[in-house]
Amino acid sequence: MKLSKFRNFDFPQFFGRFRRWPAGDTKTGRNPHGYSLLAGHLLIGLVLLLSACAGPAPVVQEVKVPVYRPCVTAAPARPTFATRTLAPDASNGEKILALARDLPVHLKYEAQLEAVIAGCL
């Protein structure tokens, strides 16, 4: 395979702009400092890219994670109701009096149970 299309290509002239120029050559318009401007731009770009990665350190944040624990620690003690101690052949009056005595005890026990359940919600 012949490389005939590259035969007339002037490699030294093409790659000459990447070489180090002679210092102080201001008549031809070249860089008087002796180095290619492309190399300087690449170096500046590299420094800028590396400095962009050197940001502030990440801030440590405290995150509160809920931990499962049983919501019911202890059930309230069940009271002894007066209706449970009645004899089977008790009269209607005795039953009504026992129910009347149990109502405040029952309401207090129910409030305690609702408080335990509300702690779970």
Side-chain angles (χ1 to χ4, degrees):
M1 172 184 236
K2 292 186 179 181
L3 300 175
S4 61
K5 64 180 180 178
F6 294 111
R7 184 176 299 159
N8 295 330
F9 187 74
D10 190 8
F11 283 104
Q13 181 184 0
F14 180 75
F15 289 107
R17 66 181 127 170
F18 299 114
R19 291 184 306 194
R20 182 177 174 172
W21 292 325
D25 191 9
T26 57
K27 292 180 181 178
T28 60
R30 293 187 175 184
N31 186 0
H33 300 293
Y35 292 101
S36 169
L37 290 177
L38 178 64
H41 287 133
L42 288 176
L43 182 64
I44 290 173
L46 180 66
V47 169
L48 287 176
L49 284 175
L50 290 177
S51 66
C53 296
V59 179
V60 177
Q61 295 179 351
E62 181 179 342
V63 178
K64 297 191 179 200
V65 178
V67 178
Y68 175 77
R69 66 175 184 87
C71 59
V72 178
T73 56
R78 186 178 188 129
T80 54
F81 294 109
T83 53
R84 301 245 176 196
T85 59
L86 283 177
D89 59 345
S91 67
N92 289 340
E94 290 175 353
K95 291 179 184 177
I96 292 174
L97 287 176
L99 287 172
R101 284 190 299 262
D102 285 347
L103 183 63
V105 175
H106 169 72
L107 291 177
K108 181 180 176 187
Y109 180 63
E110 183 180 345
Q112 289 174 351
L113 287 177
E114 286 179 356
V116 168
I117 292 172
C120 293
L121 301 178

